[in-house]
Amino acid sequence: MILGWCLAGPALGHGPLPERVEALTEELQGHPEDPDALLRRGTLRAQQGQHGAALADLELAHHLAPDRPDIGERLAATLLELDRPSEADSLLTRLLEASPERSHARYLRARARVALGRRTEAVRDFDEAIAGAGNPGPGVYLERFAAEDDPEARIAGLAEGVERLGPVVTLVEPAVRELLDAGDTDAARSWLEQLPASVAATPRWRIIEGRVHAAAGHHGEARAALRAALAGLDERPAGRRDTSAHRALRAEIERELAVLEPLPKLGYLGAIGVVVGGALLLLVRRALSPPG
Amino acid sequence: MSMRASLCLVVLIGGGCGLEEWAGPVGADPSLPSDRSSTSLGSTSTGGTPVFACGDGTCDPGELCGTCPDDCGICEQGAPDIVRGPYLQSGSAEQVVIRWRTEAPTASVVAFGRDPEHLARVVRRDEPTTEHAVRLTGLRADTRYHYAVGAPEGALVGLGDPTYSWRTDPGPGYTGSTRVWVIGDSGTANGEARAVRDAYRDFTGSRGTDLWLMLGDNAYDDGTDDEYQAAVFEMYPELLRSAVLWPTIGNHDGHSANTLDQSGPYFDIFTLPKGGEAGGTPSGTEAYYSFDYANIHFVCLDSLDSSVDQDGDMLTWLRDDLLATTQPWLVAFWHHPPYSKGSHDSDSESSLEKMREEVLPVLEEHGVDLVLGGHSHAYERSMYLHGHYGRSSSLTGDMIVDGGDGRPEGDGAYERLAGTREGAVYVVAGSSGKTSSASLDHAAMYVSWLELGSVVLDVDEAALRLTFLDDAGRELDWFTIRGHGR
């Protein structure tokens, strides 16, 4: 995943990967110290999953052109793929000293530091990567959320994402979950209220709404939300209802509803059953009792 | 390519410069500055920046143009040439974004309406720009709109030209047929891409196209703006202005684009519905998104850069989006195909493997019908499958829901009826710009062709029919999934 996220990658040609690697190998035989060709071949080899060979190409390219941040970032990404975060961190630190504006390098170093357990520094790098990138997607906010230990900062980070991207489900859901775990149902409800109506009305979000109500002790509202979720499922076309994901969702709703529902009332037939049963019991007892 | 229309056309065809109706305010997409409407075209006093031109170039007012005394003139006000588009983006039943590029910055004007002889509504943006993006809102579903674009100085392109029109999404519950054109790895900007385009144009004829998909590697080699100009804007100008294009990012597009901050030509060129503007769940990113058209839910995924971790952003969004949709048909597309033995091998390339192993189970759990990919420069089409997440050799009989040809006149259509077993067809359509030799022997495939071509989807309430059309117009493969009663 990381490799593909490099800025302005090299021209790689198109066609089958092995043929392109072979063509670059021929090119490198004539110019063995061409950092661009090494970068291209290293990138292609990484795409083939040959991370060891990719690393050799990228290390040589970096050695030949140590000031090229694109090569440094790709090398760091490959080191991360190979689970060598310490080396990636050192490389990126040197790179960022020379080019502090490289948001992508900052992001990669954040990931390296997460892997090294240096979470506070990682969060700082995520902060700067987000601030430096013009329009970061939800994934970066989620990674920062996972790296952050402070509960308030975790929620604040998601709120920053929502402010920039809108109330996307990928950011709202962890916030609601976090707040529910902390017992702050009011805050959880206000996060839910940010969702567009079209999303909030879907069965999956009705379930989450039900959980928030239940956690707040509002069992009537919780039941209503879960029933609305069931009704939403029933309104779907038959083909959409008949998928394993929808069946699992229905089972989940019914399970949660069963916990919330009061004991079932007897109903009309039940009442008749009780009366008839009681009368029969009386008759049997009379029949069995000794004549008096 | 440059296009010009004169103010006279506005007067003659538009029924005079006074336009009768104001368009509603544009949507709240922060990437699109707010617009305002105008009652008049041709006026230069309402905020637009006047543009002065000598021939095709801009100049200072009063400057002499050309070489005097034989070939010269005075620099005077005109409208700059449109050098890209117009092209349609993020269309739905209620809205669309119309984009185009001009050589010099101007204000933006779109005149549109249902009557081609009378474009009664006008949306205008005063901020001068070369990258024009105007969102039209308040549209009617299932309606053909005609339009023209230009600058307030008076030039409008598209007036009286029937190809400057599109039909809005008919909305859910539509019982008619939807035609989708699908091209993959089309970005060669050469005669092969043109042949594929022309074969489809002849095939579809007056039926036209409702929407079209690009499966990535849309502009070789690096997805630069110049390459997009040649491979997309100069290759498909008529289709770009008459049907909404929905692209996905390929590895070559990714050479010059960055999903960290959604920058680079791919993200600059396309306006995609990250806020759920076209019916899907908002994704917050243009790297992956979803939309509805008629009775189909389309999901576009990013197989290049986005995480495919099960608790990562893309799959978290995907599960939510798939549970939310109520559309009977579900079509997913991205660049790196889950099954291929074309010029790329899904048994040994991590980008392909991760999509198969991580994404396919999620899609199948939610009842996907069809998955489209490119990357390999061939056409490969699977049997009707479920549960095949390993390498080619791991395919077993219980994963094959229907191993027939899927043709009603042959082994019978694939059946996706309520109560039948879930299944999906996987298609590689990466030969719209070139072919690359390969073994083409993936066990999941029912048929593979090393031929240039494109895919045509025809979808109605009862069936989804896919055709592979080669560059000579031959229908080399086809199948149907029946979904009656869904």
Side-chain angles (χ1 to χ4, degrees), chain A residues 1 4-17 19-20 46-49 103-104 107 133-140 142 165 168-170 173 196 199 202 204-205 236-240 242-247 249, chain B residues 220-222 252 255 258-262 274 281-285 288 304-307 311-313 316-317 320 322-330 343-344 348-350 365-367 369 377 416 418-419 422 434 436-437 485-486:
Chain A
M1 174 263 176
W5 212 22
C6 285
L7 293 169
L12 301 173
H14 49 103
L17 279 181
E19 287 175 19
R20 285 149 64 192
Q47 283 179 15
Q48 286 178 295
S103 296
H104 184 63
Y107 165 76
N135 192 17
V140 194
L142 268 192
L165 305 178
V168 293
V169 294
T170 40
E173 186 173 353
V199 174
T202 60
R204 186 163 146 35
W205 282 94
R236 269 135 216 271
R240 257 313 121 244
D242 196 24
T243 68
S244 47
H246 282 83
R247 287 192 292 271
L249 192 67
Chain B
Y220 287 114
D221 271 329
D222 301 312
H252 285 270
H255 293 168
N258 174 20
T259 51
L260 172 62
D261 58 1
Q262 298 171 72
K274 61 185 177 184
T281 296
S283 67
T285 173
Y288 54 86
L304 182 66
D305 289 344
S306 294
S307 167
D311 57 355
D313 58 307
T316 299
W317 165 81
D320 212 281
L322 296 178
L323 279 174
T325 185
T326 55
Q327 296 285 66
W329 293 107
L330 179 53
S343 50
H344 293 275
S348 61
E349 292 178 34
S350 57
E365 273 174 26
H366 293 80
D369 296 296
H377 302 149
R416 182 69 176 93
E422 292 162 348
K434 67 172 294 184
S436 301
S437 61
R486 304 176 95 217

Side-chain angles (χ1 to χ4, degrees), chain B residues 172-195:
Chain B
Y174 179 62
T175 54
S177 176
T178 297
R179 170 154 293 178
V180 189
W181 190 42
V182 185
I183 52 175
D185 303 70
S186 56
T188 50
N190 63 12
E192 295 179 320
R194 273 190 291 278

Side-chain angles (χ1 to χ4, degrees), chain B residues 105-421:
Chain B
T106 70
S108 313
V109 171
V110 176
F112 68 105
R114 283 178 282 157
D115 179 356
E117 299 300 312
H118 191 70
L119 303 182
R121 299 173 69 188
V122 175
V123 174
R124 168 182 173 142
R125 279 176 46 188
D126 288 341
E127 186 186 348
T129 182
T130 57
E131 299 298 330
H132 304 265
V134 175
R135 188 183 298 279
L136 310 183
T137 56
L139 306 177
R140 283 189 189 181
D142 198 13
T143 301
R144 178 159 294 278
Y145 284 93
H146 299 261
Y147 70 99
V149 302
E153 296 79 75
L156 279 188
V157 169
L159 284 171
D161 183 339
T163 68
Y164 285 72
S165 69
W166 87 103
R167 187 173 68 113
T168 52
D169 169 16
Y174 179 62
T175 54
S177 176
T178 297
R179 170 154 293 178
V180 189
W181 190 42
V182 185
I183 52 175
D185 303 70
S186 56
T188 50
N190 63 12
E192 295 179 320
R194 273 190 291 278
V196 170
R197 175 200 64 190
D198 293 345
Y200 170 70
R201 188 186 54 201
D202 295 344
F203 172 84
T204 197
S206 60
R207 164 64 182 84
T209 306
D210 294 312
L211 66 153
W212 53 311
L213 314 180
M214 275 189 178
L215 300 177
D217 287 0
N218 312 316
Y220 287 114
D221 271 329
D222 301 312
T224 64
D225 189 78
D226 285 347
E227 288 166 348
Y228 261 96
Q229 183 68 21
V232 176
F233 294 101
E234 291 173 10
M235 181 62 70
Y236 310 104
E238 288 189 11
L239 200 52
L240 282 162
R241 62 179 177 249
S242 57
V244 177
L245 167 62
W246 303 91
T248 190
I249 190 167
N251 50 301
H252 285 270
D253 308 298
H255 293 168
S256 55
N258 174 20
T259 51
L260 172 62
D261 58 1
Q262 298 171 72
S263 64
Y266 176 85
F267 292 103
D268 293 341
I269 287 167
F270 297 117
T271 302
L272 302 170
K274 61 185 177 184
E277 296 90 340
T281 296
S283 67
T285 173
E286 291 181 304
Y288 54 86
Y289 59 91
S290 63
F291 64 97
D292 291 335
Y293 190 95
N295 46 16
I296 316 162
H297 186 64
F298 289 93
V299 172
C300 171
L301 298 180
D302 170 24
S303 59
L304 182 66
D305 289 344
S306 294
S307 167
V308 290
D309 292 346
Q310 290 298 319
D311 57 355
D313 58 307
M314 186 164 74
L315 294 195
T316 299
W317 165 81
L318 176 64
R319 279 189 290 269
D320 212 281
D321 180 71
L322 296 178
L323 279 174
T325 185
T326 55
Q327 296 285 66
W329 293 107
L330 179 53
V331 175
F333 63 102
W334 63 82
H335 184 62
H336 298 85
Y339 312 123
S340 179
K341 289 284 185 182
S343 50
H344 293 275
D345 186 342
S346 59
D347 283 354
S348 61
E349 292 178 34
S350 57
S351 300
L352 289 71
E353 289 173 302
K354 70 182 186 184
M355 295 305 285
R356 183 181 65 245
E357 293 166 1
E358 303 295 336
V359 178
L360 256 51
V362 176
L363 286 169
E364 290 191 347
E365 273 174 26
H366 293 80
V368 69
D369 296 296
L370 175 68
V371 173
L372 301 160
H375 200 42
S376 279
H377 302 149
Y379 172 80
E380 299 169 273
R381 191 267 285 186
S382 79
M383 297 173 279
Y384 200 49
L385 300 176
H386 186 87
H388 179 36
Y389 310 132
R391 295 185 173 184
S392 174
S393 59
S394 70
L395 181 75
T396 56
D398 62 319
M399 299 169 187
I400 302 171
V401 180
D402 187 334
D405 61 10
R407 297 170 186 165
E409 74 283 11
D411 300 330
Y414 301 135
E415 299 282 348
R416 182 69 176 93
L417 309 178
T420 59
R421 196 177 155 205

